[in-house]
């Protein structure tokens, strides 16, 4: 039996679709249920940011989560596979009329991703004051809470519709399959067999 933590929403649906392709049957959370038992698998429906917590604590053996979250949380987990789902970028955004002035002594940045932001500015040897927010990050520069944001850009429409532009890309992200370290050794055959099957589907889909 493998417990799989999935991030609520499209990535969970797409991952369950991969399981349906591999094993047949309907893999779907009904209504607001948080646990789905299907054969040898138990799926947990959790918030994106919480997936690594379930996996790190061993409440889930494996999980699917964005590389941005893995990088931000500096997790002690095993990264198995890029699922090629939910592709996006982490980028610096500023107002359309602004330029990012790297020569300033200190730049004020609003973000959910405090560590990614601090590391990026440290690499550039530029001082940064990070303002931690939990959502609607694009608002911050519009009302003078920050000079810039560091946030996820997928289609780009949130930035565009709020008069912001990408000043610089920080990293590419996509959903990755991760495993708890102890589970990986205790259930190695089960996990590797599933990994091989998922890899086959992901690689086949990547050809189209
Ligand atoms: C994410 C992200 C951006 C938006 C980017 O927010 O923080 O705001 O999606 O997507 P786009 O480039 O396709 O417009 P989310 O919808 O997760 O909401 P949040 O503000 O609560 O984080």
């Amino acid at each position: 039996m493998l417990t799989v933590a999935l991030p609520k929403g499209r990535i969970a649906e797409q991952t369950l679709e991969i399981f349906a392709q591999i094993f047949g049957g309907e893999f779907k959370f009904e209504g607001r249920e948080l646990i789905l038992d299907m054969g040898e698998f138990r799926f947990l429906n959790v918030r994106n940011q919480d997936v690594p917590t379930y996996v790190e604590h061993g409440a889930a053996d494996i999980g699917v989560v964005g590389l941005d979250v893995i990088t931000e949380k500096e997790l002690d987990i095993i990264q198995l596979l890029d699922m090629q789902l939910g592709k996006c970028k982490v980028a610096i955004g500023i107002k359309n009329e602004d330029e990012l002035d790297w020569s300033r002594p200190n730049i004020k940045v609003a973000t959910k991703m405090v560590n990614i932001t601090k590391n990026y500015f440290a690499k550039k040897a530029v001082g940064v004051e990070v303002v931690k927010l939990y959502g609607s990050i694009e608002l911050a520069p519009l009302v003078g809470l920050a000079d810039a944001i560091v946030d996820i850009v997928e289609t780009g429409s949130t930035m565009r519709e709020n008069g912001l532009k990408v000043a610089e890309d920080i990293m590419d992200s996509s959903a990755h399959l991760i495993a708890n370290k102890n589970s990986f050794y205790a259930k190695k055959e089960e996990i590797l067999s599933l990994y091989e099957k998922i890899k086959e589907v992901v690689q086949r889909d990547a050809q189209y």
Side-chain angles (χ1 to χ4, degrees):
M1 172 94 168
L2 279 182
T3 302
V4 188
L6 296 179
K8 264 188 184 139
R10 209 172 60 219
I11 303 291
E13 285 163 22
Q14 290 174 332
T15 306
L16 290 172
E17 179 51 37
I18 293 176
F19 275 82
Q21 281 182 44
I22 296 169
F23 300 101
E26 210 193 353
F27 287 71
K28 207 167 174 288
F29 287 105
E30 293 298 340
R32 301 192 60 84
E33 82 185 357
L34 301 173
I35 296 180
L36 167 67
D37 284 324
M38 281 290 286
E40 290 303 295
F41 302 103
R42 162 164 285 190
F43 298 94
L44 310 180
N45 200 13
V46 309
R47 280 291 294 268
N48 182 41
Q49 304 277 342
D50 294 334
V51 168
T53 309
Y54 282 84
V55 175
E56 240 186 350
H57 289 252
D61 300 304
I62 59 175
V64 175
V65 69
L67 186 60
D68 54 315
V69 177
I70 299 172
T71 309
E72 175 64 24
K73 295 190 188 257
E74 293 161 358
L75 299 165
D76 192 23
I77 45 94
I78 293 175
Q79 262 187 64
L80 291 172
L81 177 69
D82 180 355
M83 308 267 293
Q84 313 272 350
L85 302 174
K87 288 188 187 171
C88 59
K89 283 182 192 295
V90 177
I92 301 178
I94 52 174
K95 289 198 279 188
N96 282 335
E97 62 271 27
D98 287 354
E99 292 301 324
L100 199 56
D101 181 4
W102 290 108
S103 64
R104 282 178 51 168
N106 207 31
I107 300 177
K108 201 170 172 187
V109 179
T111 188
K112 270 185 267 198
M113 292 171 274
V114 172
N115 291 325
I116 290 176
T117 302
K118 284 187 177 161
N119 289 337
Y120 190 76
F121 279 79
K123 247 190 264 164
K124 294 207 165 238
V126 173
V128 65
E129 181 187 342
V130 177
V131 180
K132 163 95 181 174
L133 293 177
Y134 294 89
S136 303
I137 316 293
E138 290 82 357
L139 183 59
L142 305 180
V143 295
L145 177 60
D147 307 313
I149 60 169
V150 167
D151 201 14
I152 297 290
V153 181
E154 198 175 347
T155 62
S157 43
T158 311
M159 280 211 196
R160 220 166 21 244
E161 287 176 26
N162 290 290
L164 302 182
K165 63 182 178 186
V166 170
E168 224 165 285
D169 289 337
I170 294 184
M171 64 179 283
D172 288 318
S173 182
S174 57
H176 280 57
L177 186 66
I178 60 172
N180 171 274
K181 277 190 168 169
N182 293 331
S183 298
F184 186 72
Y185 294 108
K187 302 181 180 182
K188 198 166 190 170
E189 273 172 35
E190 249 176 293
I191 291 177
L192 283 181
S193 147
L194 177 66
Y195 158 82
E196 288 296 338
K197 290 182 178 118
I198 295 178
K199 192 168 85 173
E200 221 171 89
V201 175
V202 168
Q203 287 180 344
R204 195 185 59 211
D205 289 352
Q207 291 171 1
Y208 299 105

mmCIF file of all heavy atoms in Angstrom, residues 47-49 88-89 112-113 134-138 149-162, ligand 1:
data_model
loop_
_atom_site.group_PDB
_atom_site.id
_atom_site.type_symbol
_atom_site.label_atom_id
_atom_site.label_comp_id
_atom_site.label_asym_id
_atom_site.label_seq_id
_atom_site.Cartn_x
_atom_site.Cartn_y
_atom_site.Cartn_z
ATOM 1 N N ARG A 47 -3.403 20.792 0.365
ATOM 2 C CA ARG A 47 -2.962 22.051 -0.241
ATOM 3 C C ARG A 47 -1.547 21.877 -0.796
ATOM 4 O O ARG A 47 -0.698 21.218 -0.189
ATOM 5 C CB ARG A 47 -2.939 23.178 0.821
ATOM 6 C CG ARG A 47 -4.290 23.796 1.111
ATOM 7 C CD ARG A 47 -4.834 24.603 -0.053
ATOM 8 N NE ARG A 47 -4.059 25.781 -0.368
ATOM 9 C CZ ARG A 47 -4.291 26.987 0.120
ATOM 10 N NH1 ARG A 47 -5.255 27.189 0.983
ATOM 11 N NH2 ARG A 47 -3.531 28.007 -0.249
ATOM 12 N N ASN A 48 -1.292 22.514 -1.938
ATOM 13 C CA ASN A 48 -0.003 22.444 -2.609
ATOM 14 C C ASN A 48 1.190 22.581 -1.649
ATOM 15 O O ASN A 48 2.076 21.731 -1.611
ATOM 16 C CB ASN A 48 0.019 23.553 -3.678
ATOM 17 C CG ASN A 48 1.280 23.565 -4.487
ATOM 18 O OD1 ASN A 48 1.785 22.507 -4.862
ATOM 19 N ND2 ASN A 48 1.800 24.738 -4.763
ATOM 20 N N GLN A 49 1.144 23.641 -0.833
ATOM 21 C CA GLN A 49 2.271 23.925 0.085
ATOM 22 C C GLN A 49 2.416 22.841 1.155
ATOM 23 O O GLN A 49 3.471 22.729 1.775
ATOM 24 C CB GLN A 49 2.028 25.255 0.814
ATOM 25 C CG GLN A 49 1.804 26.441 -0.098
ATOM 26 C CD GLN A 49 3.100 27.039 -0.586
ATOM 27 O OE1 GLN A 49 4.156 26.802 -0.003
ATOM 28 N NE2 GLN A 49 3.052 27.785 -1.663
ATOM 29 N N CYS A 88 5.707 26.288 -15.060
ATOM 30 C CA CYS A 88 5.624 27.731 -14.813
ATOM 31 C C CYS A 88 7.027 28.247 -14.506
ATOM 32 O O CYS A 88 7.988 27.472 -14.524
ATOM 33 C CB CYS A 88 4.688 27.998 -13.636
ATOM 34 S SG CYS A 88 5.196 27.194 -12.114
ATOM 35 N N LYS A 89 7.123 29.545 -14.271
ATOM 36 C CA LYS A 89 8.410 30.128 -13.899
ATOM 37 C C LYS A 89 8.253 30.858 -12.582
ATOM 38 O O LYS A 89 7.167 31.342 -12.256
ATOM 39 C CB LYS A 89 8.856 31.145 -14.954
ATOM 40 C CG LYS A 89 9.408 30.528 -16.227
ATOM 41 C CD LYS A 89 9.859 31.629 -17.171
ATOM 42 C CE LYS A 89 10.148 31.110 -18.555
ATOM 43 N NZ LYS A 89 11.280 30.187 -18.647
ATOM 44 N N LYS A 112 5.687 35.124 -1.610
ATOM 45 C CA LYS A 112 5.426 33.952 -0.776
ATOM 46 C C LYS A 112 6.733 33.194 -0.565
ATOM 47 O O LYS A 112 6.865 32.416 0.355
ATOM 48 C CB LYS A 112 4.494 32.990 -1.533
ATOM 49 C CG LYS A 112 3.030 33.188 -1.339
ATOM 50 C CD LYS A 112 2.253 32.077 -2.056
ATOM 51 C CE LYS A 112 1.870 32.503 -3.441
ATOM 52 N NZ LYS A 112 0.792 31.719 -4.057
ATOM 53 N N MET A 113 7.672 33.404 -1.532
ATOM 54 C CA MET A 113 8.872 32.556 -1.601
ATOM 55 C C MET A 113 10.089 33.266 -1.028
ATOM 56 O O MET A 113 10.975 33.732 -1.746
ATOM 57 C CB MET A 113 9.088 32.143 -3.052
ATOM 58 C CG MET A 113 7.998 31.205 -3.503
ATOM 59 S SD MET A 113 8.011 30.876 -5.252
ATOM 60 C CE MET A 113 7.064 32.241 -5.803
ATOM 61 N N TYR A 134 0.876 35.985 1.496
ATOM 62 C CA TYR A 134 0.341 34.628 1.309
ATOM 63 C C TYR A 134 -0.452 34.464 0.027
ATOM 64 O O TYR A 134 -0.839 33.364 -0.333
ATOM 65 C CB TYR A 134 -0.498 34.241 2.528
ATOM 66 C CG TYR A 134 0.359 34.111 3.766
ATOM 67 C CD1 TYR A 134 0.597 35.200 4.591
ATOM 68 C CD2 TYR A 134 0.989 32.906 4.062
ATOM 69 C CE1 TYR A 134 1.420 35.082 5.699
ATOM 70 C CE2 TYR A 134 1.809 32.782 5.165
ATOM 71 C CZ TYR A 134 2.022 33.877 5.988
ATOM 72 O OH TYR A 134 2.849 33.757 7.073
ATOM 73 N N GLY A 135 -0.714 35.572 -0.691
ATOM 74 C CA GLY A 135 -1.461 35.487 -1.950
ATOM 75 C C GLY A 135 -1.652 36.867 -2.525
ATOM 76 O O GLY A 135 -1.237 37.865 -1.913
ATOM 77 N N SER A 136 -2.247 36.935 -3.720
ATOM 78 C CA SER A 136 -2.467 38.215 -4.422
ATOM 79 C C SER A 136 -1.214 39.087 -4.398
ATOM 80 O O SER A 136 -1.280 40.298 -4.158
ATOM 81 C CB SER A 136 -3.645 38.979 -3.807
ATOM 82 O OG SER A 136 -4.803 38.189 -3.849
ATOM 83 N N ILE A 137 -0.070 38.450 -4.641
ATOM 84 C CA ILE A 137 1.233 39.132 -4.525
ATOM 85 C C ILE A 137 1.309 40.348 -5.458
ATOM 86 O O ILE A 137 1.942 41.352 -5.138
ATOM 87 C CB ILE A 137 2.386 38.155 -4.906
ATOM 88 C CG1 ILE A 137 2.177 36.775 -4.272
ATOM 89 C CG2 ILE A 137 3.741 38.732 -4.534
ATOM 90 C CD1 ILE A 137 2.282 36.708 -2.806
ATOM 91 N N GLU A 138 0.647 40.217 -6.622
ATOM 92 C CA GLU A 138 0.741 41.259 -7.656
ATOM 93 C C GLU A 138 0.257 42.620 -7.167
ATOM 94 O O GLU A 138 0.566 43.649 -7.759
ATOM 95 C CB GLU A 138 -0.057 40.842 -8.899
ATOM 96 C CG GLU A 138 0.554 39.692 -9.690
ATOM 97 C CD GLU A 138 0.232 38.318 -9.112
ATOM 98 O OE1 GLU A 138 -0.431 38.241 -8.051
ATOM 99 O OE2 GLU A 138 0.671 37.320 -9.710
ATOM 100 N N ILE A 149 8.006 42.118 -7.023
ATOM 101 C CA ILE A 149 7.511 40.867 -6.435
ATOM 102 C C ILE A 149 8.355 39.710 -6.965
ATOM 103 O O ILE A 149 8.984 39.832 -8.023
ATOM 104 C CB ILE A 149 6.018 40.593 -6.781
ATOM 105 C CG1 ILE A 149 5.811 40.484 -8.306
ATOM 106 C CG2 ILE A 149 5.125 41.665 -6.206
ATOM 107 C CD1 ILE A 149 4.437 39.970 -8.705
ATOM 108 N N VAL A 150 8.362 38.626 -6.221
ATOM 109 C CA VAL A 150 8.864 37.357 -6.759
ATOM 110 C C VAL A 150 7.685 36.400 -6.675
ATOM 111 O O VAL A 150 7.145 36.165 -5.591
ATOM 112 C CB VAL A 150 10.077 36.831 -5.972
ATOM 113 C CG1 VAL A 150 10.367 35.372 -6.342
ATOM 114 C CG2 VAL A 150 11.306 37.691 -6.243
ATOM 115 N N ASP A 151 7.251 35.897 -7.844
ATOM 116 C CA ASP A 151 6.038 35.083 -7.849
ATOM 117 C C ASP A 151 6.046 34.111 -9.028
ATOM 118 O O ASP A 151 6.895 34.203 -9.922
ATOM 119 C CB ASP A 151 4.806 35.998 -7.920
ATOM 120 C CG ASP A 151 3.541 35.302 -7.437
ATOM 121 O OD1 ASP A 151 3.635 34.242 -6.806
ATOM 122 O OD2 ASP A 151 2.445 35.828 -7.707
ATOM 123 N N ILE A 152 5.058 33.227 -8.992
ATOM 124 C CA ILE A 152 4.851 32.258 -10.065
ATOM 125 C C ILE A 152 4.225 32.961 -11.265
ATOM 126 O O ILE A 152 3.265 33.707 -11.110
ATOM 127 C CB ILE A 152 3.864 31.167 -9.587
ATOM 128 C CG1 ILE A 152 4.429 30.393 -8.414
ATOM 129 C CG2 ILE A 152 3.462 30.255 -10.719
ATOM 130 C CD1 ILE A 152 5.570 29.499 -8.755
ATOM 131 N N VAL A 153 4.763 32.699 -12.444
ATOM 132 C CA VAL A 153 4.141 33.166 -13.678
ATOM 133 C C VAL A 153 3.826 31.938 -14.518
ATOM 134 O O VAL A 153 4.723 31.167 -14.862
ATOM 135 C CB VAL A 153 5.081 34.094 -14.481
ATOM 136 C CG1 VAL A 153 4.381 34.585 -15.741
ATOM 137 C CG2 VAL A 153 5.515 35.272 -13.630
ATOM 138 N N GLU A 154 2.530 31.768 -14.802
ATOM 139 C CA GLU A 154 2.171 30.606 -15.623
ATOM 140 C C GLU A 154 1.772 31.103 -17.008
ATOM 141 O O GLU A 154 2.534 31.013 -17.958
ATOM 142 C CB GLU A 154 1.052 29.820 -14.932
ATOM 143 C CG GLU A 154 0.932 28.408 -15.458
ATOM 144 C CD GLU A 154 -0.092 27.596 -14.680
ATOM 145 O OE1 GLU A 154 -0.528 28.020 -13.604
ATOM 146 O OE2 GLU A 154 -0.468 26.517 -15.193
ATOM 147 N N THR A 155 0.592 31.681 -17.129
ATOM 148 C CA THR A 155 0.178 32.248 -18.425
ATOM 149 C C THR A 155 0.653 33.697 -18.555
ATOM 150 O O THR A 155 0.712 34.231 -19.658
ATOM 151 C CB THR A 155 -1.360 32.248 -18.540
ATOM 152 O OG1 THR A 155 -1.885 33.079 -17.487
ATOM 153 C CG2 THR A 155 -1.916 30.853 -18.395
ATOM 154 N N GLY A 156 0.952 34.336 -17.440
ATOM 155 C CA GLY A 156 1.349 35.747 -17.447
ATOM 156 C C GLY A 156 0.171 36.692 -17.329
ATOM 157 O O GLY A 156 0.343 37.906 -17.227
ATOM 158 N N SER A 157 -1.052 36.149 -17.296
ATOM 159 C CA SER A 157 -2.204 37.060 -17.327
ATOM 160 C C SER A 157 -2.388 37.835 -16.021
ATOM 161 O O SER A 157 -2.817 38.983 -16.063
ATOM 162 C CB SER A 157 -3.489 36.358 -17.754
ATOM 163 O OG SER A 157 -3.588 35.125 -17.139
ATOM 164 N N THR A 158 -2.058 37.244 -14.882
ATOM 165 C CA THR A 158 -2.233 38.000 -13.623
ATOM 166 C C THR A 158 -1.354 39.251 -13.632
ATOM 167 O O THR A 158 -1.805 40.343 -13.293
ATOM 168 C CB THR A 158 -1.903 37.126 -12.393
ATOM 169 O OG1 THR A 158 -2.585 35.889 -12.513
ATOM 170 C CG2 THR A 158 -2.343 37.801 -11.112
ATOM 171 N N MET A 159 -0.094 39.100 -14.043
ATOM 172 C CA MET A 159 0.796 40.275 -14.113
ATOM 173 C C MET A 159 0.274 41.278 -15.141
ATOM 174 O O MET A 159 0.153 42.467 -14.860
ATOM 175 C CB MET A 159 2.217 39.844 -14.489
ATOM 176 C CG MET A 159 3.007 39.306 -13.322
ATOM 177 S SD MET A 159 4.758 39.662 -13.512
ATOM 178 C CE MET A 159 5.452 38.548 -12.318
ATOM 179 N N ARG A 160 -0.048 40.757 -16.332
ATOM 180 C CA ARG A 160 -0.502 41.633 -17.415
ATOM 181 C C ARG A 160 -1.732 42.450 -16.998
ATOM 182 O O ARG A 160 -1.771 43.662 -17.179
ATOM 183 C CB ARG A 160 -0.838 40.771 -18.639
ATOM 184 C CG ARG A 160 -0.398 41.396 -19.943
ATOM 185 C CD ARG A 160 -0.413 40.429 -21.117
ATOM 186 N NE ARG A 160 -1.241 39.267 -20.986
ATOM 187 C CZ ARG A 160 -0.802 38.017 -20.964
ATOM 188 N NH1 ARG A 160 0.500 37.780 -21.074
ATOM 189 N NH2 ARG A 160 -1.625 37.004 -20.875
ATOM 190 N N GLU A 161 -2.699 41.761 -16.419
ATOM 191 C CA GLU A 161 -3.954 42.442 -16.063
ATOM 192 C C GLU A 161 -3.792 43.425 -14.915
ATOM 193 O O GLU A 161 -4.695 44.204 -14.635
ATOM 194 C CB GLU A 161 -5.035 41.401 -15.714
ATOM 195 C CG GLU A 161 -5.547 40.692 -16.954
ATOM 196 C CD GLU A 161 -6.543 39.588 -16.648
ATOM 197 O OE1 GLU A 161 -7.211 39.653 -15.602
ATOM 198 O OE2 GLU A 161 -6.623 38.648 -17.461
ATOM 199 N N ASN A 162 -2.642 43.372 -14.251
ATOM 200 C CA ASN A 162 -2.398 44.301 -13.153
ATOM 201 C C ASN A 162 -1.265 45.279 -13.452
ATOM 202 O O ASN A 162 -0.707 45.891 -12.540
ATOM 203 C CB ASN A 162 -2.125 43.516 -11.860
ATOM 204 C CG ASN A 162 -3.389 42.833 -11.364
ATOM 205 O OD1 ASN A 162 -4.319 43.484 -10.908
ATOM 206 N ND2 ASN A 162 -3.456 41.516 -11.526
HETATM 207 C C1 LIG B 1 -0.552 32.072 -8.733
HETATM 208 C C2 LIG B 1 0.595 33.043 -8.683
HETATM 209 C C3 LIG B 1 0.152 34.167 -9.588
HETATM 210 C C4 LIG B 1 -0.674 33.442 -10.639
HETATM 211 C C5 LIG B 1 0.134 33.279 -11.895
HETATM 212 O O1 LIG B 1 -1.503 32.487 -7.850
HETATM 213 O O2 LIG B 1 0.856 33.453 -7.349
HETATM 214 O O3 LIG B 1 -0.624 35.102 -8.898
HETATM 215 O O4 LIG B 1 -1.010 32.162 -10.092
HETATM 216 O O5 LIG B 1 -0.585 32.668 -12.930
HETATM 217 P P1 LIG B 1 -0.742 33.335 -14.368
HETATM 218 O O6 LIG B 1 0.621 33.753 -14.858
HETATM 219 O O7 LIG B 1 -1.308 32.236 -15.222
HETATM 220 O O8 LIG B 1 -1.680 34.496 -14.255
HETATM 221 P P2 LIG B 1 -2.699 31.564 -7.367
HETATM 222 O O9 LIG B 1 -3.751 31.516 -8.395
HETATM 223 O O10 LIG B 1 -2.130 30.255 -6.926
HETATM 224 O O11 LIG B 1 -3.289 32.400 -6.138
HETATM 225 P P3 LIG B 1 -2.591 33.084 -4.898
HETATM 226 O O12 LIG B 1 -2.492 34.529 -5.246
HETATM 227 O O13 LIG B 1 -3.558 32.829 -3.796
HETATM 228 O O14 LIG B 1 -1.263 32.449 -4.667
#
